[in-house]
Amino acid sequence: MAKLLVKLQRYFRRKPVRFFTLLALYLTAGSLVFLHSGFAGEPTVTGTQRIPREGPGLPYLGVMQLSRGFKAAATMPDGGRRHGPWFKSTSKEPVERGKAGDHSSSRSWVLRGRSGREKEEDRARYIGCYVDNTRRRTLRGVSFFDYKKMTVFRCQDNCAERGYLYAGLEFGAECYCGHKIQASNASESECNMECKGERSNTCGGVNRLSIYRLELAQESARRYGSAIFRGCFRQPDNVSIALPVSRIMLNMSVDKCVDFCTEKEYPLSALAGTSCRCGFPTTLFTLHEREDEQLCAQKCAGEEFESCGTADYLLVYQTQVQDNRCMDRRFLPSRAKQLVALASFPGAGNTWARHLIELATGFYTGSYYFDGSLYNKGFKGERDHWRSGRTICIKTHESGQKEIESFDAAILLIRNPYKALMAEFNRKYGGHIGFAAHAHWKGKEWPEFVANYAPWWATHTLDWLRYGKKVLVVHFEDLKQDLFVQLQRMVGLLGITACQDRLLCVEGQKDGNFKRSGLRKLEYDPYTPEMRKMISGYIKTVDAALKLRNLSGVPDDYYPR
């Protein structure tokens, strides 16, 4: 060995250029390895168990041990979030927690096939068995057939994608879509044919349709061409002021009225019999008090199978014209007096909430991390350091005491863990608006993910309730159902006076750029009974912690049906 070293030494003395070249290559390789570990490496997942600590206002609830499954964030230097090995690439965030893009939002329309036609995740509701024949179809929209693999989920999926309100199955293999049912009921025993693609469900019968009403997560799911259905509303008292542009159309149809309002550059198109009106959502016409659609069920003069409203009740559609009253955004003119966190577990809708807050306030939101894809999509505050004070609030998924106490206030966004886990799993393996492959769901990745992330869902909320200062709890489900009121609460905590017209504008632009095409793309339940038992325990822990703070507990639908 000594002789070999002597020979190498003599060799490099004779060839100094080669020595320095090799030395430079060695240093370059070392630098590349260091940069790779800082920009693309991921912390190791651990299985350390953690029991919620006792503290003032939130004693240990004694339900179960909670495990985060991650290295403690408190071990990281306070100012080192943007640099060194903790800085993530533009596609990932520290500890794989970021990029919670769950917009949730958005076209979460349909229900997978399920035994007993049980309602699942508010996607569809079984209506009943109806008579159908070739002379007079019960559902008069599109139809398709699959005599080998038809399932309830596939039928509902296809009808929802085309914007229909009802989906019906016949002969075990035929799917029909429509906006309304035009037939009489039949006996349930006549709709007992098994689906060709699944034996656990029935798909109608001979000249009999099993019909489902698609429960739409948002009104934006129902489309007529490019228009988005908003609902049936009573005509406002000052209709000429609320909807200032109008035209009489003797041959009225939805398309004609929508095209007219689009040409006039208005975002709302309202049909009132033969009158077409256009305007903006304002305090005179808020679109908050929807009426029964049957009150608007008057046939259009120019289209037999469409409704065009009446003189007293308007059928309203949203055109493709953008409402620009809430689209302007900028950085804060002066440094923020307080740092407000927008805290959530990954997959709970943080990115969607940021979109809503930016539109409602007119100011950019920041982030505890950096995500280049979010920056490129318009979240310009993403690039600022989270302590810069130039943004209205800061996105974070952190849950350690040190990180929480560095904020002066917080909006804590909580989502049903069953949906949040699936959203984050899709984000992790499919990107912001993609889906995890079936191989990931069926492989070892999903069980390991649930084992590590489900406990973190609970500890995240518990830690923010325990250590957070001035915490406003907002449930993702409440934000979806009552966006106007919940957004008012959030904006109020941020110290901004909410302009009602701007908030009404947000309701029409609420989807944003980060929304999956809502469907889960799974025709089976990925949660095992053991997983559900474990998650149910965590839900009870969080529910008790919320009630201990005199807050309303978790929504009822958090518990599995």
Side-chain angles (χ1 to χ4, degrees):
M1 186 67 179
K3 292 181 179 180
L4 178 62
L5 291 175
V6 170
K7 288 182 179 180
L8 287 173
Q9 186 178 14
R10 289 176 180 174
Y11 175 79
F12 283 120
R13 280 179 182 174
R14 296 171 187 166
K15 306 289 184 179
V17 175
R18 293 183 181 179
F19 172 72
F20 286 114
T21 301
L22 289 172
L23 180 62
L25 289 173
Y26 173 78
L27 293 173
T28 302
S31 300
L32 290 174
V33 170
F34 175 78
L35 288 173
H36 178 74
S37 67
F39 284 86
E42 293 189 20
T44 304
V45 176
T46 67
T48 306
Q49 293 294 317
R50 172 193 174 116
I51 300 175
R53 295 163 296 218
E54 292 185 342
L58 187 64
Y60 173 48
L61 299 173
V63 176
M64 61 183 65
Q65 291 187 338
L66 300 176
S67 165
R68 285 191 189 159
F70 295 89
K71 289 182 179 179
T75 61
M76 298 182 181
D78 195 30
R81 287 290 163 189
R82 300 284 178 183
H83 311 284
W86 307 289
F87 182 82
K88 301 302 290 181
S89 71
T90 58
S91 63
K92 294 180 181 179
E93 291 177 357
V95 203
E96 266 301 318
R97 298 183 184 181
K99 296 180 69 177
D102 59 314
H103 301 284
S104 55
S105 41
S106 331
R107 295 187 185 179
S108 188
W109 307 327
V110 295
L111 166 70
R112 68 179 183 278
R114 184 166 176 167
S115 178
R117 308 184 182 99
E118 184 177 350
K119 181 181 174 184
E120 166 72 3
E121 297 187 351
D122 297 322
R123 293 170 186 248
R125 179 164 54 89
Y126 179 68
I127 298 297
C129 183
Y130 285 80
V131 176
D132 187 52
N133 58 66
T134 55
R135 293 184 179 180
R136 185 175 179 81
R137 286 293 178 192
T138 303
L139 297 176
R140 301 185 183 183
V142 300
S143 61
F144 72 100
F145 316 99
D146 190 334
Y147 290 97
K148 290 185 178 180
K149 299 180 180 179
M150 177 60 72
T151 66
V152 173
F153 177 88
R154 286 196 63 201
C155 180
Q156 293 168 352
D157 186 348
N158 278 271
C159 292
E161 288 284 1
R162 291 162 175 78
Y164 287 99
L165 187 58
Y166 295 99
L169 296 106
E170 187 174 1
F171 289 112
E174 301 178 3
C175 177
Y176 296 89
C177 312
H179 290 300
K180 57 184 176 180
I181 301 171
Q182 304 179 83
S184 57
N185 286 90
S187 170
E188 287 296 316
S189 62
E190 298 179 61
C191 286
N192 58 0
M193 292 184 68
E194 288 185 347
C195 302
K196 297 297 183 180
E198 58 178 345
R199 293 188 174 182
S200 60
N201 249 320
T202 54
C203 287
V206 179
N207 293 328
R208 297 294 183 267
L209 277 178
S210 294
I211 296 182
Y212 295 81
R213 180 185 174 95
L214 304 178
E215 300 292 341
L216 310 177
Q218 298 180 356
E219 294 82 10
S220 60
R222 286 177 61 184
R223 292 178 177 270
Y224 285 75
S226 62
I228 300 170
F229 179 72
R230 297 300 298 272
C232 177
F233 300 89
R234 184 184 295 274
Q235 181 170 287
D237 295 333
N238 300 318
V239 66
S240 58
I241 300 175
L243 302 168
V245 176
S246 64
R247 173 182 289 182
I248 298 298
M249 298 180 178
L250 300 179
N251 197 27
M252 174 70 81
S253 71
V254 173
D255 285 342
K256 286 184 175 64
C257 187
V258 168
D259 289 345
F260 170 69
C261 294
T262 301
E263 182 183 343
K264 296 296 181 181
E265 298 186 350
Y266 282 96
L268 292 185
S269 172
L271 294 83
T274 57
S275 176
C276 174
R277 292 188 171 274
C278 315
F280 292 90
T282 64
T283 52
L284 294 175
F285 193 48
T286 63
L287 302 182
H288 288 165
E289 298 178 1
R290 296 181 63 168
E291 303 286 351
D292 188 333
E293 289 181 31
Q294 292 301 314
L295 297 174
C296 290
Q298 177 175 297
K299 289 184 179 180
C300 295
E303 179 56 58
E304 180 184 358
F305 300 118
E306 292 180 353
S307 296
C308 278
T310 68
D312 296 321
Y313 292 93
L314 306 177
L315 209 56
V316 180
Y317 293 84
Q318 186 173 321
T319 73
Q320 291 298 298
V321 176
Q322 182 170 278
D323 189 345
N324 291 317
R325 294 176 299 167
C326 59
M327 299 308 292
D328 60 301
R329 290 169 292 169
R330 63 190 188 280
F331 289 103
L332 292 172
S334 59
R335 185 179 175 85
K337 296 180 180 178
Q338 61 175 358
L339 289 176
V340 182
L342 178 61
S344 75
F345 174 79
N350 199 303
T351 303
W352 180 54
R354 289 178 67 186
H355 165 76
L356 297 175
I357 290 171
E358 289 194 359
L359 295 188
T361 64
F363 296 114
Y364 289 120
T365 59
S367 176
Y368 201 68
Y369 320 105
F370 172 71
D371 188 331
S373 62
L374 290 176
Y375 177 83
N376 293 334
K377 286 291 186 179
F379 290 94
K380 299 305 180 186
E382 191 76 18
R383 181 170 286 183
D384 269 37
H385 189 278
W386 66 279
R387 287 186 178 274
S388 70
R390 296 208 306 159
T391 53
I392 194 68
C393 65
I394 299 100
K395 162 189 174 176
T396 179
H397 300 309
E398 301 300 313
S399 55
Q401 179 179 359
K402 184 178 179 180
E403 286 75 12
I404 292 173
E405 291 180 346
S406 63
F407 291 97
D408 302 301
I411 298 170
L412 178 58
L413 192 61
I414 305 174
R415 187 182 185 185
N416 185 324
Y418 292 101
K419 297 182 181 180
L421 288 169
M422 292 183 69
E424 176 59 8
F425 190 74
N426 277 321
R427 198 282 311 166
K428 183 179 175 71
Y429 290 100
H432 269 297
I433 57 176
F435 293 88
H438 281 273
H440 291 130
W441 293 100
K442 290 293 190 180
K444 65 179 182 179
E445 293 92 343
W446 173 242
E448 290 178 354
F449 179 88
V450 173
N452 285 318
Y453 276 67
W456 180 22
W457 175 86
T459 58
H460 184 277
T461 298
L462 296 175
D463 281 0
W464 277 96
L465 291 175
R466 184 182 296 115
Y467 302 118
K469 311 167 189 173
K470 197 178 177 182
V471 177
L472 173 68
V473 174
V474 177
H475 290 285
F476 175 85
E477 293 76 16
D478 294 340
L479 186 60
K480 285 178 64 178
Q481 288 184 357
D482 198 357
L483 185 143
F484 190 86
V485 171
Q486 297 301 324
L487 197 52
Q488 272 187 319
R489 295 177 64 220
M490 296 162 69
V491 171
L493 182 76
L494 298 173
I496 302 293
T497 302
C499 171
Q500 287 210 345
D501 279 355
R502 190 173 185 108
L503 290 175
L504 290 169
C505 168
V506 175
E507 289 185 309
Q509 317 289 330
K510 59 187 176 183
D511 285 343
N513 292 321
F514 285 93
K515 74 171 186 179
R516 291 184 179 85
S517 57
L519 307 180
R520 179 170 30 185
K521 306 301 183 189
L522 288 179
E523 298 189 32
Y524 57 88
D525 184 357
Y527 291 102
T528 64
E530 293 76 17
M531 290 178 183
R532 288 187 174 274
K533 182 179 180 181
M534 173 184 66
I535 294 172
S536 181
Y538 296 142
I539 291 172
K540 292 176 182 177
T541 301
V542 170
D543 183 63
L546 291 170
K547 291 176 179 176
L548 196 61
R549 287 290 191 94
N550 294 321
L551 301 170
S552 59
V554 300
D556 292 338
D557 65 358
Y558 278 29
Y559 295 96
R561 298 181 179 88

